[in-house]
Amino acid sequence: MTRMVIVAALALASCSKSESPKSEHIATTVVNKDPAAARKLIAAGATVLDVRTPEEFADGHLPSATNLPVEDVAQRIAEVDKLVGGDKTKPVVVYCSKGGRAAKAKQALEASGYTNVVNGGGFGDLR
């Protein structure tokens, strides 16, 4: 009987919520940047969002860019709406330093109904 209790306790302990980091689900963002398409859209007048920090933006940015840090995108969709004149089909180019934050911003914009968002990659890709 004691053996059965010990076996049951060990089995239950192995089912606890504390799993090893290897088995945890880690969300990833697919970058899929397209600087060439972004440059064409910018030349044609697309709305450009620099999703880096204000400090990074102050160190240099594209002349037509509006600074909207990636962590603020979802809360500031109304500002983006104004930039595109309320038309969520107008092209929007997002960029950061390498493309990762821009990918997250692109996802947030698409989740808000934007249909023509391009990840331009990094600032260096678009200069």
Side-chain angles (χ1 to χ4, degrees), residues 82-104:
K82 286 181 184 177
L83 291 170
V84 298
D87 184 353
K88 292 184 176 188
T89 65
K90 284 190 176 179
V92 176
V93 172
V94 291
Y95 74 91
C96 57
S97 60
K98 294 184 181 175
R101 288 177 284 177
K104 290 178 184 178

Side-chain angles (χ1 to χ4, degrees), residues 53-119:
T53 66
E55 295 79 19
E56 290 172 297
F57 186 79
D59 284 341
H61 58 274
L62 296 179
S64 60
T66 299
N67 186 220
L68 182 59
V70 67
E71 58 273 353
D72 297 342
V73 171
Q75 296 82 22
R76 294 173 59 186
I77 290 296
E79 291 176 46
V80 182
D81 289 344
K82 286 181 184 177
L83 291 170
V84 298
D87 184 353
K88 292 184 176 188
T89 65
K90 284 190 176 179
V92 176
V93 172
V94 291
Y95 74 91
C96 57
S97 60
K98 294 184 181 175
R101 288 177 284 177
K104 290 178 184 178
K106 180 179 188 291
Q107 287 179 339
L109 291 167
E110 289 174 340
S112 294
Y114 285 83
T115 59
N116 193 3
V117 183
V118 173
N119 179 349

Side-chain angles (χ1 to χ4, degrees), residues 6-77:
I6 293 172
V7 169
L10 289 173
L12 288 173
S14 68
C15 293
S16 72
K17 290 185 179 184
S18 60
E19 298 177 12
S20 70
K22 292 178 185 175
S23 63
E24 290 180 14
H25 174 70
I26 299 172
T28 57
T29 301
V30 178
V31 174
N32 290 334
K33 61 184 182 177
D34 191 348
R39 282 191 293 275
K40 288 178 185 176
L41 289 171
I42 292 168
T47 298
V48 182
L49 300 177
D50 182 324
V51 298
R52 300 176 299 158
T53 66
E55 295 79 19
E56 290 172 297
F57 186 79
D59 284 341
H61 58 274
L62 296 179
S64 60
T66 299
N67 186 220
L68 182 59
V70 67
E71 58 273 353
D72 297 342
V73 171
Q75 296 82 22
R76 294 173 59 186
I77 290 296

